[in-house]
Amino acid sequence: MQEILAKLELRRAEARAGGGEKRSKAQHARGKLTARERIDLLLDEDSFEEFDMFVEHRSTDFGMEKSKIPGDGVVTGWGTVNGRVVYVFAKDFTVFGGSLSESHARKITKIQDMALQNRAPIIGLFDAGGARIQEGVNALGGYGEVFQRNVLASGVIPQISVIMGPCAGGDVYSPAMTDFIFMVRDTSYMFVTGPDVVKTVTNETVTAEELGGALVHTTRSSIADKAFDNDVEALLQMRRLIDFLPASNTDPIPEIPSFDDAGRMEASLDTLIPANPNQPYDMKELILKIADEGDFFEIQEAHAKNIIVGFARLAGRTIGIVANQPLVLAGVLDSDAGRKAARFVRFCDCFNIPIVTFVDVPGFLPGTAQEYGGLIKHGAKLLFAFAEATVPKITVITRKAYGGAYVVMSSKHLRADLNYAWPSAEIAVMGSRGAAEIIYRSELGDKDKIAARVKDYEDRFANPFVAAERGFLDEIIMPHSTRKRIARALDMLRHKELNNPWKKHDNIPL
Ligand code: HXC
């Protein structure tokens, strides 16, 4: 028996060695951890249960029958993050560059099926060269199977992708269908085709970093939701993110004991809004002051900075925050902001996470660049997302809520449950000067007359009372009591039930 046990240990050791010491060292030399080292950091200590470590590919083309490595380039299994179950697969770049064979795909789809059936998040750690070139259509079919499961699991369990090395082909399409993509700076790249193919086809000379590095994907393309400095930071931050998320769309949102008094007053918020309505202020200050222990996990912070989205907790329970940022473009809504916030709102709605919206928005960004770029449809995405969301929705207007943007930003008209405003709120079709200059165009030559008209419009609309008189605002609240008011409202809405009419699925303006 001892011999049999020793044999098992030997085979396990072989599998754990992956592509061998030389390749593991090369991985470290590039500043990357190996697949197993990554899993160890991601999961609670000793919680990882590995599956399929002896699986090998079945290819016989191009001499592949002579080159088999147990595990076949991906480590799969399940474990826990702070005691909660997650499924995980980690591409092993030391084995055929982490490329996907038919057998490798089966390992991943097994984990995907288990995650969906058992309703727990799935995390993919990517570091791979796409389809196993030697396998041809078998590898392509394998990707198809993975993609199909990504789609079926979408909106049922959270799916998270972490890009931790060069990723090409199918290893970028599968992440693209998951809820969040994170990258590691300087060591990870994502592209459908790499620099060499780009050079051949378009004659462009571009580095991997310029084509698909973390900077490009967190700023310009917005493919990635966040970037981290190294593998260790990325994996520890994934643990933090998992703590915010429910296990599935039928699970309650996580509730962790909070030592931060839900009734905490924040006197400094009473002076957050500057006296001059055109002067910006930092909306993040408000977010950090209302969140439990100032803990805010921001999503897409480097893209469309005029809108802020991310997760926080109030009284220990997860909330999604959407907020205009007056510091950037005066907090205006543009195409990028519309897309970014709409996707976040839909994620929250899928997973029953209440949405708290802070509004200070001067409207939609005018101009040909925006109109030609599809502002109408991109803005409509956010409108659509807020309107269809059935989770508890609480809105606080801190200052401007102008025009269509007032309606879009989780207004009462889109079934928000509680709409609050600070006394500094201004709710109107547009700013007072613009309004006066349009209504009284014939008086434009007379500065004094126009100034009086502006003043009239200001007196009428530069306050929250007109909206409050209509019931479009439920209450005008003191800034210092914002945290308490929202926490109480969330508690009151805890058992909210609201259903949209039955449909196969909606047709959001894509
Ligand atoms: C088989 C592969 C491989 C692949 C890499 N390797 N990619 N083996 N199939 N797709 C192997 C290499 O032969 C090498 O083996 C080892 O992995 C490391 O690769 P290197 O090239 O030495 O590493 P590096 O210089 O870091 O470059 C990494 C890379 C590059 C950028 C990922 O390898 C690359 O461009 N690979 C091909 C990418 C690609 O075009 N894939 C197909 C995409 S199409 P040894 O033995 O030397 O260690 C696709 C279709 C899906 O995925 C369609 C879905 C819609």
Side-chain angles (χ1 to χ4, degrees), residues 384 503 505-510:
F384 199 107
K503 56 184 90 171
H505 57 72
D506 58 42
N507 190 15
I508 189 165
L510 289 175

Side-chain angles (χ1 to χ4, degrees), residues 23 30 32 64 93-100 128-134 139-140 143-144 147 166-171 173 189 191-197:
R23 290 196 183 89
R30 289 176 177 181
K32 300 192 293 179
M64 285 297 278
F93 192 76
T94 68
V95 178
F96 308 117
S99 60
L100 180 138
R132 178 94 39 95
I133 295 166
Q134 296 90 332
L140 298 182
Y143 268 125
F147 299 159
C167 288
D171 284 309
Y173 275 118
Y189 312 101
F191 27 68
V192 175
T193 51
D196 296 346
V197 179

Side-chain angles (χ1 to χ4, degrees), residues 444-509:
L444 271 179
D446 187 333
K447 269 190 177 168
D448 292 342
K449 256 191 179 168
I450 281 292
R453 299 294 192 188
V454 171
K455 173 89 177 49
D456 271 0
Y457 198 87
E458 243 168 44
D459 290 347
R460 176 83 180 113
F461 288 115
N463 63 68
F465 295 102
V466 183
E469 282 160 20
R470 295 280 179 283
F472 300 159
L473 294 173
D474 297 291
E475 173 71 305
I476 300 165
I477 62 171
M478 290 294 187
H480 64 254
S481 67
T482 305
R483 174 174 157 88
K484 179 180 167 193
R485 302 299 290 247
I486 299 173
R488 295 204 72 212
L490 287 167
D491 206 33
M492 183 270 281
L493 294 166
R494 213 178 165 119
H495 303 292
K496 176 180 177 184
E497 232 182 81
L498 175 66
N499 294 303
N500 292 333
W502 185 90
K503 56 184 90 171
K504 195 168 168 195
H505 57 72
D506 58 42
N507 190 15
I508 189 165

